[in-house]
Amino acid sequence: LSPVCLGSLRRAASINAEYMGGHGLGIRPRRNPKRKLFPRKFQTIYKKDDICIDDVTANEMKDMVRSFDNCYRDQMDQATKCAFFGILGLILAIIQREIYWQSNKNITNNEATVANVAVNVMRFVVTITTVFTLYYNMWYHKALFTFQVLSKNYLKRKSLSTRIKSSKTFFFESVMWCIHEPPFLDLFMNISIGKIYDPCNHGEVKPAMLHNPWGLLIMLRLYLIVRYVRVTYYSGGTQILGMWHHFQFTLPFTIRAILHSYPFKSLGPIFLGTTAIGSYLLYVCERTADHGNIQTFLDALWSLCITMTTVGYGDLVPATWLGRLICIMISLLYMVFSAALIATVHQKLCLMPYESRMVEFLEHATSVKNLKNKEPL
């Protein structure tokens, strides 16, 4: 027998002896004396230069990974609860604003009283959801900071309260989530344009009084959905690997990664959501102007779409300075979405290198065939 066959028989005999309790073909199996140093489940020494993991090191690694996993789960739970209460408050704020508008328009005194009570109750509920949003936002930032300070010396924690209080992001988000309409507070602001060109009407421009204008900024709570996607898109293990390699999964990176992986599925909801929100804000501002011609949500949607596509028929135009500001902001956002959409379509239409070579080969073969056909007989 060749040396290779003889070695294979020896290995087979050794395996047979280990499992059958005997010595197989009479060849005694070789045992590694280093196997006696550590338990079998933590043993990685098979050669001279290999590294072994003893019980203490393995337990420390398990505790470290478990700490990272628990911290990530806590961060994800707090982000979910914060987004839930924030979006719930946003929906209730929109409902109470519509009830208040309808209660002051062609409604009797008794119905208006009941509507005002309902509006104040809903505002109180919005205030409660705001408190819960701020509470879970604080715990979210605490879990986020805990996840960042965990390293090789993960059991050595620093003072979290001082770091959270000095965090600019924490204070900025807390201010954003505080914006809402408190109960029993009704303020009005004139948002009409002083002079507007209208060839059909030369009378005075009536004031357009917007109720609680700061309440429209509650739309900033939609950022909670973006933050929830950023937290849940990458698992805790992925973020741990990034941290060990000094890489952070920030919000811009997550957005670019999602757009790269799912371009049309991500751009579609963003574009439709931005159009719907902009149309509603435009409708809320323009319905207060009696001299304006945007009085329904469909009118606002039509005017905004015509403005975004740069068509500009001019049949429906905003009559308030705040409505014009909303049109300008949505148009700028649409320019960004258009650039992203064009880049995505260009990337999808580009051929791969092997596809380009195949196209060149087919074009060359076709041109050679045409030249042969044109040669005189």
Side-chain angles (χ1 to χ4, degrees):
L1 296 175
S2 63
V4 176
C5 296
L6 184 59
S8 301
L9 289 176
R10 286 182 177 275
R11 286 193 295 270
S14 301
I15 295 172
N16 182 36
E18 290 182 359
Y19 283 94
M20 301 302 296
H23 297 293
L25 300 177
I27 303 173
R28 187 171 182 177
R30 297 179 180 178
R31 296 188 179 275
N32 193 346
K34 297 179 181 179
R35 287 182 177 271
K36 298 180 181 180
L37 298 177
F38 304 103
R40 185 180 182 85
K41 59 181 179 180
F42 296 124
Q43 191 173 27
T44 59
I45 294 183
Y46 295 100
K47 295 181 180 179
K48 182 178 180 180
D49 298 330
D50 285 347
I51 301 174
C52 70
I53 301 177
D54 56 352
D55 294 340
V56 178
T57 306
N59 291 332
E60 288 182 354
M61 292 180 65
K62 287 182 179 180
D63 293 338
M64 183 175 60
V65 173
R66 190 180 296 110
S67 300
F68 274 113
D69 186 65
N70 293 336
C71 185
Y72 170 74
R73 290 179 182 274
D74 186 23
Q75 179 183 353
M76 186 172 60
D77 293 340
Q78 304 304 330
T80 304
K81 294 177 182 178
C82 187
F84 172 76
F85 284 104
I87 300 303
L88 178 62
L90 172 61
I91 295 174
L92 293 177
I94 294 175
I95 295 175
Q96 67 86 17
R97 178 174 284 271
E98 295 301 316
I99 294 176
Y100 182 86
W101 170 257
Q102 296 298 330
S103 64
N104 294 323
K105 183 180 179 181
N106 299 327
I107 294 181
T108 61
N109 293 331
N110 295 331
E111 293 177 351
T113 303
V114 175
N116 289 331
V117 172
V119 166
N120 289 316
V121 169
M122 296 189 70
R123 289 182 184 177
F124 182 73
V125 176
V126 172
T127 304
I128 295 176
T129 58
T130 302
V131 173
F132 277 104
T133 303
L134 294 174
Y135 174 76
Y136 288 116
N137 184 62
M138 181 189 68
W139 282 103
Y140 165 77
H141 280 276
K142 182 177 180 180
L144 178 63
F145 178 71
T146 306
F147 189 86
Q148 292 176 354
V149 300
L150 289 178
S151 58
K152 293 182 179 180
N153 299 326
Y154 64 97
L155 293 177
K156 185 179 180 181
R157 307 264 178 112
K158 298 182 180 179
S159 178
L160 300 179
S161 59
T162 56
R163 291 298 183 94
I164 291 177
K165 291 180 181 179
S166 61
S167 176
K168 296 181 180 179
T169 306
F170 171 72
F171 277 110
F172 180 72
E173 292 183 355
S174 299
V175 172
M176 285 199 305
W177 311 150
C178 283
I179 298 175
H180 70 287
E181 299 180 45
F184 308 107
L185 181 61
D186 297 321
L187 298 177
F188 297 89
M189 182 177 66
N190 186 11
I191 61 173
S192 64
I193 300 176
K195 184 178 180 181
I196 183 171
Y197 174 74
D198 188 359
C200 300
N201 186 9
H202 299 283
E204 295 183 359
V205 177
K206 297 181 180 180
M209 308 303 294
L210 181 62
H211 174 249
N212 290 346
W214 70 85
L216 299 178
L217 296 178
I218 199 172
M219 292 295 179
L220 295 175
R221 295 190 181 188
L222 292 173
Y223 171 75
L224 290 170
I225 300 178
V226 180
R227 191 177 71 177
Y228 172 78
V229 173
R230 185 195 68 82
V231 173
T232 59
Y233 188 73
Y234 292 106
S235 62
T238 305
Q239 296 191 17
I240 292 171
L241 291 177
M243 184 179 297
W244 286 347
H245 290 81
H246 304 285
F247 183 83
Q248 294 182 357
F249 294 91
T250 58
L251 180 60
F253 169 77
T254 305
I255 293 176
R256 291 195 300 268
I258 294 175
L259 290 176
H260 182 269
S261 302
Y262 311 99
F264 296 105
K265 291 182 179 180
S266 55
L267 284 176
I270 293 175
F271 175 74
L272 295 178
T274 304
T275 305
I277 294 170
S279 301
Y280 175 74
L281 294 177
L282 181 61
Y283 164 64
V284 169
C285 296
E286 292 299 317
R287 67 185 178 184
T288 59
D290 295 334
H291 60 282
N293 51 12
I294 301 177
Q295 298 297 328
T296 62
F297 177 79
L298 294 179
D299 291 343
L301 179 62
W302 168 257
S303 177
L304 196 61
C305 291
I306 293 303
T307 303
M308 289 190 303
T309 54
T310 66
V311 176
Y313 285 119
D315 54 346
L316 297 176
V317 294
T320 61
W321 63 267
L322 192 56
R324 292 186 176 185
L325 180 62
I326 292 173
C327 289
I328 294 173
M329 294 177 61
I330 298 300
S331 299
L332 294 177
L333 287 176
Y334 182 77
M335 293 174 60
V336 177
F337 295 153
S338 300
L341 182 62
I342 293 172
T344 302
V345 173
H346 177 265
Q347 183 181 5
K348 293 297 181 182
L349 292 178
C350 289
L351 296 176
M352 301 297 291
Y354 65 91
E355 294 176 340
S356 301
R357 290 192 294 268
M358 178 57 68
V359 171
E360 293 176 358
F361 172 77
L362 294 176
E363 290 178 352
H364 178 72
T366 303
S367 61
V368 171
K369 183 178 180 181
N370 293 332
L371 289 176
K372 288 183 179 180
N373 293 333
K374 292 180 178 179
E375 290 180 357
L377 297 175

